Amino acid sequence: MRNEVFIAGQGIAGSMLGWACEQAGIAFQVFDPGHKAAASRVGAGLVSPLTGQRLVPTWRFAEWRDEVLAIYRRLEQELNIRLVRELRVERRFRDDRQRDVFLSRIDRPEVAPWIECVKPAALLLRGALQVDTGLLIHHLRQRWLGQGRLREVPWSEAPASSASPVIWCTGAMAPPGVAIPWELSRGEITRGVLPGLVQDTVLNNGHWILPCSRDQALVGALFDRGNLGAGVTAAGQAELAGTVQRLVGRPMHSPVGESGLRVNVPDRRPVVGWVDKHQHVGVFGGLAAKGALWAPVLARQWAGDGLRGSAIENEARTERWIRSSDRRGHSS
Ligand SMILES: Cc1cc2nc3c(=O)[nH]c(=O)nc-3n(C[C@H](O)[C@H](O)[C@H](O)COP(=O)(O)OP(=O)(O)OC[C@H]3O[C@@H](n4cnc5c(N)ncnc54)[C@H](O)[C@@H]3O)c2cc1C
């Protein structure tokens, strides 16, 4: 068992890893200057069984959904907050062609379990989850601050003399000196007031509207790979206003836009594990738009064997990007 591990970054990746370390009895310290730029604060935390224009099964949704739900339920009890909801998704047909594509796929074995019914203008999907990742990282931060386990400074201000390994959970802020082909995209959402929605149903026509408490709703999310520094844009917010109009036929009131950066790699799988043979530097990233689903299970897999890394899901491992000849001794 290691003496202590340092975790740089406390979005959903760093939070779930810290919590999994707690569960496994591994000592840890977290460094994060604040959540202002955290995608986990902006993201909607939606986890859907099927996505895209061809109802593609979300990677590991079927296998991990129930485990993920149980982990968030346990956190709800520990932190005494409401974190997770089970939802339907009303997947509207954009046009006849899309309806034909969807209907041609609903009997496939990987699709059928998630189809609740076919409506005249939509498919109703079951099994989706929504996790309030912003609330979760806020509460774990308060807990670890109170326990002296979290320092509100960037990793560069960590004690230089320490021999403890560091695991980079810094989202879009790539770890220095780690040769992984990160791909960033900017996302925008809008929060506002939109009464009259069915509380347990997400509306989706490629973009989505998520009903929240007290007549609030979120609408999202845009993808932009070319303009990463733009923040919230007038064009993006107008596009989301158009989505609201198309899906419910009325405008959202008091809209406020937010933006954040998602992180992918070319094979669209997470990137988790040690990057050097001495296990001094690790990475937990590439969570794309699936952090709410992937982070809890991958954190449990990594911490569950004392952070050796042998239990991490094969397709998510760092090794696929870092050849063994390159897994050199690393100084962070
Ligand atoms: C608009 C939008 C909508 C989204 N919708 C969904 C959704 O519906 N469902 C879903 O599952 N996912 C969604 N996502 C993606 C989701 O937000 C990410 O998968 C997830 O939040 C990534 O978590 P993370 O911990 O890797 O990174 P982040 O949440 O970005 O956290 C990184 C943390 O590292 C800290 N940090 C950075 N540099 C340093 C440093 N040098 N030292 C110490 N700390 C540092 C930052 O302060 C930050 O707190 C969405 C993202 C966006 C932008």
Side-chain angles (χ1 to χ4, degrees):
M1 184 69 70
R2 290 161 198 285
N3 289 335
E4 186 177 51
V5 63
F6 288 163
I7 297 174
Q10 191 246 329
I12 191 70
S15 294
M16 294 316 305
L17 186 62
W19 188 71
C21 286
E22 257 186 62
Q23 304 297 302
I26 300 166
F28 66 96
Q29 284 282 327
V30 182
F31 297 81
D32 190 312
H35 289 149
K36 193 162 176 282
S40 308
R41 186 186 58 74
V42 176
L46 270 173
V47 180
S48 292
L50 307 167
T51 55
Q53 301 308 312
R54 300 184 62 77
L55 297 181
V56 177
T58 299
W59 184 72
R60 291 291 176 261
F61 180 92
E63 296 86 346
W64 292 356
R65 178 198 183 272
D66 292 348
E67 182 178 356
V68 164
L69 181 58
I71 290 172
Y72 287 124
R73 291 279 184 236
R74 179 152 176 207
L75 277 159
E76 282 184 330
Q77 285 179 351
E78 272 189 26
L79 300 169
N80 198 21
I81 51 176
R82 181 109 192 270
L83 281 177
V84 60
R85 293 191 285 164
E86 296 185 70
L87 297 171
R88 296 184 173 82
V89 178
E90 186 175 306
R91 192 66 211 264
R92 298 268 179 90
F93 307 130
R94 273 193 179 156
D95 49 33
D96 289 350
R97 197 171 150 269
Q98 187 174 63
R99 188 194 57 215
D100 293 347
V101 172
F102 282 10
L103 295 186
S104 73
R105 299 175 70 86
I106 57 176
D107 292 327
R108 293 184 176 210
E110 70 279 18
V111 174
W114 310 112
I115 307 297
E116 185 161 312
C117 66
V118 182
K119 296 171 141 196
L123 280 183
L124 201 58
L125 309 182
R126 61 164 74 92
L129 303 176
Q130 191 255 330
V131 185
D132 194 335
T133 52
L135 192 67
L136 174 57
I137 66 175
H138 170 77
H139 277 266
L140 283 175
R141 189 178 193 89
Q142 297 312 308
R143 166 155 136 179
W144 292 335
L145 275 170
Q147 295 171 346
R149 280 174 155 164
L150 187 145
R151 291 188 51 202
E152 294 194 294
V153 294
W155 168 250
S156 53
E157 292 178 34
S161 58
S162 172
S164 296
V166 57
I167 298 178
W168 290 87
C169 304
T170 45
M173 300 302 292
V178 178
I180 292 174
W182 308 110
E183 295 173 351
L184 304 188
S185 68
R186 187 178 58 85
E188 279 187 55
I189 58 164
T190 311
R191 296 173 192 273
V193 178
L194 192 59
L197 299 172
V198 177
Q199 277 301 302
D200 74 346
T201 304
V202 180
L203 302 175
N204 185 317
N205 66 355
H207 295 151
W208 42 257
I209 299 177
L210 170 70
C212 303
S213 58
R214 293 188 296 275
D215 289 341
Q216 298 281 314
L218 284 184
V219 53
L222 303 181
F223 280 81
D224 183 352
R225 293 195 172 84
N227 203 0
L228 300 180
V232 174
T233 62
Q237 294 301 301
E239 189 175 342
L240 293 175
T243 293
V244 174
Q245 199 65 44
R246 273 189 295 283
L247 281 170
V248 297
R250 56 186 188 278
M252 179 180 252
H253 297 293
S254 312
V256 178
E258 290 196 81
S259 73
L261 295 176
R262 307 180 192 83
V263 186
N264 256 310
V265 287
D267 64 6
R268 302 290 179 261
R269 297 288 181 262
V271 183
V272 182
W274 299 108
V275 300
D276 65 322
K277 65 181 178 195
H278 305 299
Q279 301 197 339
H280 280 145
V281 179
V283 172
F284 192 151
L287 297 179
K290 308 287 187 298
L293 173 67
W294 293 344
V297 177
L298 291 165
R300 179 182 267 181
Q301 290 178 351
W302 200 357
D305 73 348
L307 289 176
R308 277 188 293 277
S310 52
I312 298 169
E313 160 81 37
N314 271 338
E315 287 185 54
R317 288 165 175 250
T318 45
E319 282 99 310
R320 70 195 196 277
W321 299 114
I322 300 166
R323 287 174 303 150
S324 52
S325 57
D326 294 342
R327 302 179 99 221
R328 53 193 154 58
H330 216 287
S331 119
S332 51

